[in-house]
Amino acid sequence: MVLNPPPHQHEQFILKSALYSRLLVLSLTIAWRILASPYDSSAPLNLPCLTANHTHTHTLPQSQTLLLPKFAFALENGVVWDSVYFVRIAQCGGYEYEQTYAFLPLLPISISFLSRFLSPIFAPFVGHRAVLAFSGYLICNVAFVFAALYLYRLSMIILKDPEIAFRATILFCFNPASIFYSSIYSESLYALLSFAGLYYFVRGGNNLASLFFALSGCARSNGVLNAGYLCFQTMHRAYNAMFQQKRTALALGTVIAGALRSVFVFAPFVAFQAYGYYNMCKGRLPDELRPWCKARVPLLYNYIQSHYWGVGFLKYFQLKQLPNFLLASPILSVALCSVVYYAKSRPENFFSLGFRTSIEEKSSGVVFLSDDFRSKKAGNVDKSSVKAKENSNLTKRKKVTEGAVGEVNMVEPATRPGYFSACVLPFVLHLAFMAATVFFVMHVQVATRFLSSSPPVYWFSSYIMAHPTKYRRWGYVIWAYSAAYIFLGSLLFSNFYPFT
């Protein structure tokens, strides 16, 4: 169902697919804006900033108001939903209202930075806000292209199967939440930073991975959950050092290093909460303080989510929200099947959190044991033997999928390639936590974009698409679901109608 070029051309094909998918979504967005009437026509409104020192001189002069009016209007008309907040923060150079602190600073900072170079050239023709909007579009769409590339490289390391990795990445290029990756939303930046962090993480570059994870926490709040990968690895490395190698000092050093990296990942988000506390609480009289300022742990983000958007455990379980649950049901179903299928296929690995995985499989894994231990286990293994093992895994996967359905469970756990490998476990656990959070705590309709940056969603979908018998029809269903949501999302979202 997906064109499959030779493996050496995969990255080039993925870059083209990512670009074409963004052009498709942007074209659909423009077409729907022309053909349909927006529910809310206030998108082009541009009220003055509350702080006088952020008034911009690159406004539209009267003598040039007709020079590029349609282009400027099209750009500003695309600033809808959360895009309004991101552009406003970048335009005014800070957070003006309490609820705007729900939008983390990385995207507004990036927009502001890029617009400083573009404004002197384009602002006299289209206005400063249009330049900000263009900067946001450029950043988000370019970030998406590189996110696709990093997802493919990550998938190749984890799955060791070019076909599955390639198909999974193409699925990401045309994922159901595509409209958000081509709009001024933080999804693209978050996906890029998360995938890049995971890529360097599985390659053993924990310090660089921690940096990318920390930056992902500056883009979206759930970026701090990427610290879970570091904690998972630290847990297994410390266990191995303590009970397998009998080296207490190494175990202690492993725990300390893992804890420091995890703190580093949380630091930007915590610093942003402190920044909000300083701006909203410090220097105010007691009767002027907001309720969250008086809390023992004054978390601005949690208060905003609860007070302004009604986010909380089971708060969204209302009969009137049934359409939103239906809207989110496809992605939640894929996520649930991804977790359950892995758990049923690798029950000992899943329910023991990987501790009952064989030492041989751990030593070949990229997220369990220390680099020193892996290098000792690898010993004299050269590149040709590694390549031979990958080819062997690919052959085994093909034999499994070409046989009867019942033959899938006949493959020994230690030899299961692709989605069944032990290395997939922390990704599945991360997806399970994310899916449970969005279902029980958050506005459930955001599940489509909230889970769209989780690799197992695409790995599992790609795996079942490769099955020629039982699951083949589900491949068509997944592609139909993605196509429908791309068209529906570009219609509704771009015209200020609610969509996830």
Side-chain angles (χ1 to χ4, degrees):
M1 286 179 286
V2 176
L3 293 175
N4 192 10
H8 68 276
Q9 296 181 5
H10 278 180
E11 289 197 0
Q12 182 181 2
F13 193 90
I14 285 168
L15 288 175
K16 290 181 179 179
S17 298
L19 285 170
Y20 292 154
S21 69
R22 295 313 92 198
L23 291 175
L24 171 64
V25 173
L26 290 173
S27 299
L28 287 172
T29 300
I30 294 172
W32 287 127
R33 284 177 186 162
I34 295 174
L35 297 174
S37 299
Y39 176 77
D40 189 336
S41 59
S42 64
L45 294 180
N46 185 23
L47 299 176
C49 297
L50 295 182
T51 52
N53 58 327
H54 285 104
T55 56
H56 297 285
T57 58
H58 298 297
T59 54
L60 211 58
Q62 291 296 324
S63 60
Q64 297 179 350
T65 53
L66 299 179
L67 191 57
L68 293 173
K70 292 185 178 180
F71 183 68
F73 180 78
L75 285 172
E76 295 196 36
N77 201 40
V79 182
V80 296
W81 295 108
D82 292 357
S83 303
V84 175
Y85 294 98
F86 288 119
V87 171
R88 178 76 177 182
I89 294 167
Q91 180 180 7
C92 298
Y95 293 79
E96 299 176 297
Y97 305 100
E98 184 178 66
Q99 63 269 31
T100 60
Y101 284 87
F103 304 93
L104 272 67
L106 184 60
L107 180 56
I109 290 174
S110 302
I111 293 173
S112 179
F113 179 79
L114 180 59
S115 67
R116 290 180 184 274
F117 296 95
L118 300 180
S119 286
I121 302 172
F122 298 107
F125 300 97
V126 297
H128 183 70
R129 191 167 185 262
V131 173
L132 290 170
F134 176 78
S135 301
Y137 276 112
L138 183 61
I139 290 169
C140 293
N141 284 274
V142 170
F144 177 86
V145 174
F146 285 100
L149 184 60
Y150 269 114
L151 175 60
Y152 173 73
R153 293 177 177 177
L154 169 68
S155 303
M156 281 291 294
I157 295 176
I158 294 294
L159 305 178
K160 297 181 176 63
D161 187 329
E163 182 183 343
I164 296 293
F166 175 75
R167 186 184 289 108
T169 310
I170 296 299
L171 279 169
F172 172 72
C173 290
F174 296 92
N175 74 75
S178 284
I179 183 62
F180 298 101
Y181 288 91
S182 285
S183 302
I184 308 175
Y185 267 56
S186 56
E187 269 68 17
S188 289
L189 273 179
Y190 171 77
L192 170 60
L193 295 168
S194 293
F195 294 161
L198 289 171
Y199 170 71
Y200 292 111
F201 170 68
V202 299
R203 291 192 63 189
N206 282 355
N207 292 334
L208 187 57
S210 300
L211 175 61
F212 279 105
F213 288 159
L215 289 174
S216 73
C218 295
R220 292 187 59 82
S221 60
N222 52 295
V224 300
L225 297 179
N226 287 324
Y229 293 104
L230 298 169
C231 294
F232 181 88
Q233 185 187 67
T234 299
M235 179 175 64
H236 279 273
R237 288 183 173 185
Y239 178 86
N240 176 71
M242 176 68 73
F243 298 103
Q244 301 295 333
Q245 302 183 49
K246 308 298 183 181
R247 298 171 62 183
T248 305
L250 177 60
L252 181 60
T254 298
V255 171
I256 293 174
L260 290 176
R261 291 189 182 106
S262 298
V263 169
F264 181 76
V265 173
F266 274 87
F269 181 78
V270 174
F272 183 67
Q273 300 307 298
Y275 170 75
Y277 179 84
Y278 179 82
N279 287 340
M280 301 299 299
C281 302
K282 297 295 290 184
R284 296 179 182 268
L285 297 175
D287 57 345
E288 295 177 343
L289 290 176
R290 300 290 290 157
W292 67 272
C293 293
K294 305 174 184 178
R296 179 173 298 180
V297 181
L299 287 177
L300 173 56
Y301 185 83
N302 288 357
Y303 176 79
I304 292 172
Q305 293 293 330
S306 175
H307 181 73
Y308 291 97
W309 283 282
V311 173
F313 184 67
L314 299 182
K315 286 186 176 180
Y316 219 59
F317 278 63
Q318 305 173 29
L319 186 61
K320 65 180 181 180
Q321 302 298 345
L322 181 60
N324 288 322
F325 278 89
L326 294 176
L327 189 65
S329 60
I331 191 66
L332 289 173
S333 299
V334 174
L336 179 63
C337 290
S338 303
V339 176
V340 172
Y341 197 85
Y342 185 89
K344 291 178 65 176
S345 302
R346 301 294 305 272
E348 287 192 1
N349 185 50
F350 182 84
F351 292 105
S352 69
L353 299 182
F355 284 104
R356 298 187 66 178
T357 303
S358 66
I359 195 68
E360 290 79 9
E361 192 173 8
K362 281 187 178 184
S363 64
S364 65
V366 290
V367 294
F368 283 99
L369 302 181
S370 66
D371 298 327
D372 293 338
F373 182 79
R374 288 209 309 271
S375 63
K376 290 178 182 177
K377 293 291 292 185
N380 298 322
V381 178
D382 57 15
K383 292 184 178 180
S384 61
S385 64
V386 173
K387 185 66 177 179
K389 183 176 180 180
E390 291 184 8
N391 291 335
S392 175
N393 284 340
L394 179 58
T395 302
K396 290 174 183 177
R397 184 190 62 78
K398 288 183 177 179
K399 287 182 179 179
V400 170
T401 57
E402 289 173 359
V405 175
E407 293 179 6
V408 173
N409 292 326
M410 294 174 63
V411 182
E412 292 300 323
T415 62
R416 287 181 179 179
Y419 189 71
F420 296 111
S421 70
C423 295
V424 177
L425 176 60
F427 299 90
V428 172
L429 295 175
H430 183 270
L431 172 61
F433 183 83
M434 296 261 288
T437 301
V438 75
F439 183 77
F440 290 108
V441 179
M442 301 171 61
H443 290 187
V444 73
Q445 67 266 29
V446 306
T448 304
R449 57 189 175 98
F450 187 68
L451 301 179
S452 64
S453 56
S454 184
V457 169
Y458 306 104
W459 294 343
F460 174 74
S461 299
S462 179
Y463 169 77
I464 64 173
M465 284 181 181
H467 202 292
T469 54
K470 183 177 180 180
Y471 301 117
R472 187 176 183 85
R473 62 183 180 183
W474 289 109
Y476 293 103
V477 172
I478 290 173
W479 277 117
Y481 158 55
S482 296
Y485 272 54
I486 288 174
F487 279 89
L488 185 65
S490 59
L491 167 63
L492 297 179
F493 178 85
S494 60
N495 287 292
F496 235 130
Y497 290 91
F499 176 74
T500 71

